[in-house]
């Protein structure tokens, strides 16, 4: 079952500050820097390695996560596993706000409208900001995949999430 709504996505990616030039001290790898393939192995076809295939079979199968999305999700999961109870509760409220927008007023949304910055953000607040940026760029399928990964690591947390989503039924 799909819990996240597809978010209208724009191109929010910023170009890199600086592209490496040919004058940078970057050494080119040589063929000896790469490991040899195992004996008797058959190289994969480009279609097998690609995220999307042109054949009809691929349209019925879920698209694999991109490498970047997978790394983002692993990073958020790593943060999650290091967070305390209060931080997980705040993350839960943020996740609920993303899953059922307009039905849950999250603490993070309320605080962001105050625009009072008498101190620099702490690491957790920076993590939540980065999480939000990444989450907004994920497709609905990628969001559901993240929830599934999270459920494997902490089923109790995800059960609280599902109860929170169910609790918004009928609210406008």
């Amino acid at each position: 079952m799909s819990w996240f709504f597809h978010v209208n996505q724009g191109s929010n990616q910023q170009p890199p500050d600086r592209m490496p030039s040919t004058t940078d001290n970057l050494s080119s790898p040589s063929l000896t820097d790469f490991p040899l393939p195992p004996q008797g192995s058959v190289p994969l076809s480009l279609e097998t390695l690609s995220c999307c295939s042109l054949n009809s079979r691929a349209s019925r199968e879920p698209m694999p996560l991109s490498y970047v999305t997978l790394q983002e999700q692993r990073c958020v999961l790593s943060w999650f596993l290091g967070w305390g109870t209060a931080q997980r509760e705040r993350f839960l409220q943020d996740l609920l706000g993303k899953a059922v927008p307009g039905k849950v007023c999250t603490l993070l949304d309320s605080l962001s409208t105050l625009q009072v910055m008498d101190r620099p953000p702490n690491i957790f607040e920076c993590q939540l900001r980065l999480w939000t940026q990444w989450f907004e760029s994920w497709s609905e399928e990628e969001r559901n995949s993240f929830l599934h990964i999270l459920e494997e690591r902490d089923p109790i947390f995800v059960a609280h999430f599902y109860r929170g989503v169910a609790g918004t039924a009928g609210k406008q």
Side-chain angles (χ1 to χ4, degrees), residues 1-2 15 28 35 40 54 67 71-72 77 86 89 92-93 96 107-108 113 126 139 143 151 156:
M1 177 178 258
S2 182
S28 298
L54 297 177
Y67 177 77
Q71 295 308 314
E72 291 169 350
L77 183 62
E89 179 61 33
L92 176 63
Q93 294 305 312
L96 281 169
L107 175 63
L108 188 59
T113 60
C126 293
S139 68
R143 293 172 182 182
E151 186 173 26
I156 294 171

Side-chain angles (χ1 to χ4, degrees), residues 2 13 24 29 48 81 92 118 121 149 171:
S2 182
Q13 295 179 347
D24 288 346
T48 306
L81 295 174
L92 176 63
D118 58 344
I149 292 168
K171 292 185 180 178

Side-chain angles (χ1 to χ4, degrees), residues 97-144:
K98 287 172 174 39
V100 284
K103 293 192 174 190
V104 178
C105 179
T106 65
L107 175 63
L108 188 59
D109 291 337
S110 300
L111 291 176
S112 67
T113 60
L114 294 176
Q115 300 296 323
V116 177
M117 297 298 286
D118 58 344
R119 62 173 176 73
N122 62 33
I123 296 291
F124 175 70
E125 290 166 343
C126 293
Q127 289 171 339
L128 282 184
R129 287 181 190 168
L130 196 51
W131 143 255
T132 296
Q133 290 174 3
W134 289 341
F135 181 87
E136 289 172 355
S137 71
W138 297 345
S139 68
E140 184 175 349
E141 184 175 306
E142 291 168 330
R143 293 172 182 182
N144 288 321

Side-chain angles (χ1 to χ4, degrees), residues 67-84:
Y67 177 77
V68 172
T69 300
L70 185 60
Q71 295 308 314
E72 291 169 350
Q73 291 183 358
R74 286 179 177 169
C75 191
V76 174
L77 183 62
S78 171
W79 296 337
F80 175 83
L81 295 174
W83 290 338

Side-chain angles (χ1 to χ4, degrees), residues 80-95:
F80 175 83
L81 295 174
W83 290 338
T85 305
Q87 293 168 321
R88 286 184 178 199
E89 179 61 33
R90 186 165 167 195
F91 179 69
L92 176 63
Q93 294 305 312
D94 188 64
L95 189 61

